Amino acid sequence: MVSGYIEKIKYRNEENGYTVLCVSVDGEEEILVGTFSHIEEGSYISADVKERLHPVYGEQLFVESYELKRPDNEKAIEKYLASGAIKGIGPVLAARIVKKFAKDTLRIIEEEPERLEEVKGISENMARAVSVQVQEQKEQRAAFVYLQKYGISMKLANKIYKEYGERLYSVITENPYKLADDIQGVGFKLADEIAQKVGIPTNAQFRIKSGIVYILSRAALDGHVYLPMERLINIAAELLDIPRELIPIEVADMKIERRLSVKGIEGEDVVYLTSAYHTELSIARKLLELSVNSDSLRKDVEENLPRFESSSDIELDDLQRQAVIKSMSCGLIIITGGPGTGKTTTINMIIKYLLSKNMEVLLAAPTGRAAKRMEEATGYEAKTIHRLLEINAMPDGDDMESNIGLNFERNEDNPLEADAVIIDEMSMVDMYLMNSLLKAVTVGTRLILVGDTNQLPSVGPGNVLKDIIASGAVEVVKLERIYRQAGLSDIVINAHKMIEGEPIDLGKSSKDFVFIKRSGADNIISACITLLQSKLPKYVSADSYDIQIMSPMKKGMLGVERLNLILQNHLNPKQAKKPEKEFDGKIYRVGDKVMQTKNNYQIEWSVKNDIGIAMEKGQGVYNGDIGIIRYINDFEEFIRVEFDDRKIVDYPYTEISQLELAYAITIHKSQGSEYPAVIIPMYPGPKMLMNRNLIYTAVTRAKTCVALVGDPECFYEMTENTSQLKRYSSLDLQIKNLL
């Protein structure tokens, strides 16, 4: 047990409450570390501590539990007041107040604040303001202690207190599910746990309604825009442990409240969150609005394109030529096709033709890596769609991944100023991002959408590209010819064979498509390590860092979680002098290859010269960006990562969760990226996951060479499995209904 006055707060993380305290114990200074809900200089602390060895700072006293008492001597009271705990009171005023009221100071402030006017320099208004602050602090401390009983973190407690103030007690006891509706970061599960503790009945109306919203929101994270009524009832009955017949009653009530939309599709009732239904409807209306064709422009392009091809030294095939003509003459067009079919050549010709007519062209893609690829392929600046639309606020958590709640500067009131907007990798665009994009495009601006429908669909809800094509209401050009140079690549040839369902000979000698037979998970991993460390770098003239191992799954014997632990130990083992940081059961070590897992538009980066001076600064690191940990600072609590283009980012420990080891990544995370070589372990996994679209996406990420390692049967099963987890979306129907 350690007891004494808090002399100084040396460090405090307001996000998680981690604090380093300097405490005066019997005239001696002790350093305590731990997590505190609320703490102030001058307070008296009694703490149960445990000695622990810190890898950098040596022995520390870690606080396991503690109790705080108000300052009760004049020195401590003055210290507390002078610490800035009360706005407007600094060291000089603190000394005057304590000199006047001595040990009775805090009671006077709380109970007789008008007496503060007796102190020189304090007006009536200031006295009143000080009293209000002290009372608020008292209430906040009590609220934090109360919320901690329900397992609520400091960060969430702060959000809850700011939202409700003193009302939080009635919200918790009467309807804790309101927390899930009002507070970002409080989900249904946490609200339900609180509800159980306060005795809310399982069949309470607001519980069922909150559960329904939760189910539909989680479904959106699996790509669904709606759920069939029967499926919703089944899931809700199991989740909430209530009779099935209660659920349709609440669905009907929520429909009246306009929280849900219930529609008929193919003879069955389906249920949308109202926001999701109206988002799809908005997309459908805008697409039809943009689909305006111009015969005069068509004739102009048809007459001039042959001459332009000749001068550009580019020869287009009939479909490519059709794509260019339609891009000039149609308000909206989709250009689709597999690898090697000339999508890039077509885009480049479209750009050149537009620029020759002095037209403004904007290029964008869903992710940072995809935008970078687009820029390299065209020679023109390409942005993420979020940057193009000038994002001004990002939600947290799951909403960030599904693009819900985004706010952009570019919208219907402030549209994009361009004659044409070209979007690449459209298969990755979900309905919420698509809706935001369409709001910023006016009639008269050409919208050219480019993508491969055989790639994996978007992470967020909807099946935008496929649904638009299926509607039959938009001009579509599908490029089919495999060009000579691409035709020499077995990567391209085999990718097309996969889609057509044609057999692939894994025994064939190939320069860029190699299958290495291995049995057993550990033997497969060993072969992957050999390829990564010694075989492929020389073969593709790339650093092993640039070669990517990709697995279909996250968990399991050859899931990325296990692979990364093994690869980390082989490629970047623990060393006595090599700094590392443990976070949430994971080790982050200097030299580790890591990936950013979420779009973070606010985080700052810099590019420094050889002597450490920042030559360029900016903001934004994107989902899929890969870098190397260069530095770990345990005292200031940050990890420094160097990304592509020498961009340096300092991650506070509170944001480490955005980083994952990236020696191996899931195929889903590779979307929009391209690597010199790709290594894919072939090992059995869940049937619904191990499908043709997944292996097709993985293979087409390789630029020079793809190496598959493992069981040939696993590969053949994937290429033959055409089943995908069905996505419930209805954009195609929405478009058809408006025609």
Side-chain angles (χ1 to χ4, degrees), residues 12-13 15-21 32-39 45 52 62-66 148 153-154:
R12 179 161 176 81
N13 186 319
E15 289 281 312
N16 58 20
Y18 180 81
T19 310
V20 180
L21 301 174
L32 306 186
V33 299
T35 301
F36 302 88
S37 61
H38 196 89
I39 205 111
I45 187 170
R52 113 176 153 179
F62 183 77
V63 176
E64 295 186 314
S65 64
Y66 69 96
Q148 277 184 325
S153 70
M154 178 143 191

Side-chain angles (χ1 to χ4, degrees), residues 220 224-226 261 263 272-287 402-406 429-439 460-464 467-468 729-732 734-735 738:
H224 303 303
V225 181
Y226 64 82
S261 292
K263 304 293 176 180
Y272 303 77
L273 289 172
T274 296
S275 60
Y277 175 78
H278 285 290
T279 297
E280 268 198 344
L281 184 59
S282 172
I283 293 170
R285 285 172 174 162
K286 189 69 181 186
L287 287 170
S402 59
N403 288 313
I404 300 170
L406 298 173
V429 177
D430 68 30
M431 71 171 185
Y432 288 108
L433 187 56
M434 186 64 178
N435 191 43
S436 296
L437 172 66
L438 292 174
K439 285 180 180 178
N463 225 342
V464 174
D467 279 0
I468 298 174
S729 65
S730 53
L731 178 59
D732 54 339
Q734 299 263 35
I735 295 171
L738 292 174

Side-chain angles (χ1 to χ4, degrees), residues 81 88-99 119-122 126:
L81 292 177
I89 296 181
V92 174
L93 273 182
R96 289 178 188 170
I97 294 168
V98 174
K99 186 177 180 181
V119 178
K120 184 182 177 183
I122 298 181
M126 185 178 179

